[in-house]
Amino acid sequence: MTFHLQAVGLACERDWRLLFEHLHFELHPGDMLQIAGPNGSGKTSLLRLLAGLMQPTAGQILLGGQPLADQRHALASILLWIGHAAGIKDLLTAEENLAWLCALHKPAGRDTIWQALEAVGLRGFEDVPCHTLSAGQQRRVALARLHLDSPPLWILDEPFTALDKQGVAQLEAHLAKHCEQGGTVVLTTHHTLERKPAGYRELNLGQWAA
């Protein structure tokens, strides 16, 4: 599914403080947009705005030229959101977590889920309760969603958190491949990306501070 996402004159206020204003950009298939800026500049807030989890203080976000607020169903059909927290349930196994998360969009069978877990280095951990996994392994469970039949728009808040060197390299390659195949990635990260697709660019919110 192709789409066109625009931010037009965006402003965001948090705790009575204006984080940024007059922000403009566009996202097309194949783009990777890295949101940068100092702590407190509104990086996570911007991701939440794009994911429809917050409303802007001013300006608007357009999906296909229409206000995002009027297109919740359309947004849900193209979006995969992974926040700063892993977003998994501790008492469920890795397989159960992915089955539950997939059911929100497109159910996946056991073989497909196991293949996704193997892709992130969790072969043999499919039936292990997530509360027994390390922070890095829990992050890998969440990131296994990227290896399933996922939507084209990925919005990721610090996806490299708790990953080892091998996990970082694998995730970089997978994000780049997604863009090269026509997907779109918007992410925040303190990690310096070694592999960047042709559609990569950086947006530094420090330049848009109010």
Side-chain angles (χ1 to χ4, degrees):
M1 178 186 296
T2 60
F3 64 90
H4 179 212
L5 194 66
Q6 294 173 276
V8 182
L10 275 192
C12 179
E13 181 182 277
R14 187 181 66 195
D15 298 330
W16 308 104
R17 183 169 68 90
L18 194 59
L19 301 178
F20 55 80
E21 59 182 347
H22 307 308
L23 182 61
H24 300 266
F25 61 85
E26 298 185 19
L27 292 170
H28 299 275
D31 286 347
M32 177 183 287
L33 181 65
Q34 180 178 350
I35 310 300
N39 291 339
S41 60
K43 298 186 293 295
T44 294
S45 294
L46 177 55
L47 294 190
R48 292 178 64 84
L49 288 173
L50 294 175
L53 301 175
M54 290 173 52
Q55 295 298 314
T57 303
Q60 60 182 335
I61 299 171
L62 304 177
L63 178 60
Q66 300 298 318
L68 187 66
D70 298 334
Q71 302 188 78
R72 297 294 184 184
H73 181 73
L75 178 63
S77 69
I78 65 169
L79 173 66
L80 192 157
W81 156 268
I82 299 180
H84 189 270
I88 59 177
K89 295 183 179 296
D90 288 346
L91 295 180
L92 298 183
T93 66
E95 178 186 346
E96 289 169 341
N97 265 289
L98 289 180
W100 176 76
L101 290 166
C102 288
L104 299 175
H105 296 284
K106 185 176 181 179
R110 178 178 231 194
D111 289 345
T112 302
I113 290 174
W114 281 36
Q115 290 171 8
L117 290 169
E118 182 175 5
V120 296
L122 289 178
R123 182 177 182 179
F125 290 89
E126 298 90 352
D127 296 325
V128 176
C130 286
H131 70 85
T132 67
L133 300 179
S134 69
Q137 289 171 324
Q138 291 184 16
R139 171 62 58 175
R140 287 171 185 259
V141 172
L143 294 173
R145 296 170 61 192
L146 304 178
H147 292 269
L148 296 166
D149 186 10
S150 58
L153 173 61
W154 296 354
I155 298 183
L156 313 172
D157 194 3
E158 295 291 347
F160 296 96
T161 299
L163 294 182
D164 58 20
K165 186 175 181 180
Q166 181 182 8
V168 167
Q170 289 175 339
L171 179 55
E172 278 199 18
H174 192 59
L175 297 182
K177 180 180 179 181
H178 181 65
C179 293
E180 290 161 2
Q181 293 178 337
T184 303
V185 175
V186 185
L187 77 161
T188 64
T189 179
H190 293 289
H191 166 70
T192 300
L193 296 173
E194 298 294 333
R195 181 169 175 180
K196 302 172 182 176
Y200 171 88
R201 65 188 190 275
E202 180 179 299
L203 174 66
N204 191 326
L205 287 183
Q207 299 175 356
W208 299 86

